[in-house]
Amino acid sequence: MRAYMRTGWMLLVAALLVAALGCSQEGPAERTGKKIDETVEKTSEVIEDTTEKVEDAAETAIDKAKEVGNTIGEAAERTGERLQEMSE
């Protein structure tokens, strides 16, 4: 019985060593997975940066449109005043 237990323990230790050594080496699937993770990370960063730039550009466009609207409003007001002066 002791011989079987000793053999069992030796097999268990050997299996654990093989498993530990096998897990420490990266295979092609692990390398591919890491590259996919890196690509997804970089893509997410690019999308985030692009989104921020688009938001900034949209805010700038809105501000410019408001300025143009104000300028047109002021010009219309001046034109109205001149027309009124001319009719007097």
Side-chain angles (χ1 to χ4, degrees), residues 21 28 83-84:
L21 291 175
L83 286 173
Q84 191 174 13

Side-chain angles (χ1 to χ4, degrees), residues 35-88:
K35 287 187 179 189
I36 290 171
D37 290 343
E38 290 171 4
T39 302
V40 168
E41 178 78 25
K42 288 178 184 176
T43 303
S44 296
E45 290 173 3
V46 168
I47 290 171
E48 186 176 326
D49 291 343
T50 302
T51 301
E52 289 176 12
K53 288 177 183 177
V54 168
E55 288 173 351
D56 291 343
E59 287 178 20
T60 300
I62 289 169
D63 292 342
K64 293 293 182 184
K66 287 179 182 177
E67 288 177 20
V68 169
N70 290 337
T71 302
I72 291 172
E74 291 169 3
E77 190 175 318
R78 283 193 307 270
T79 302
E81 290 171 357
R82 286 187 185 149
L83 286 173
Q84 191 174 13
E85 289 172 3
M86 293 171 78
S87 67
E88 293 176 356

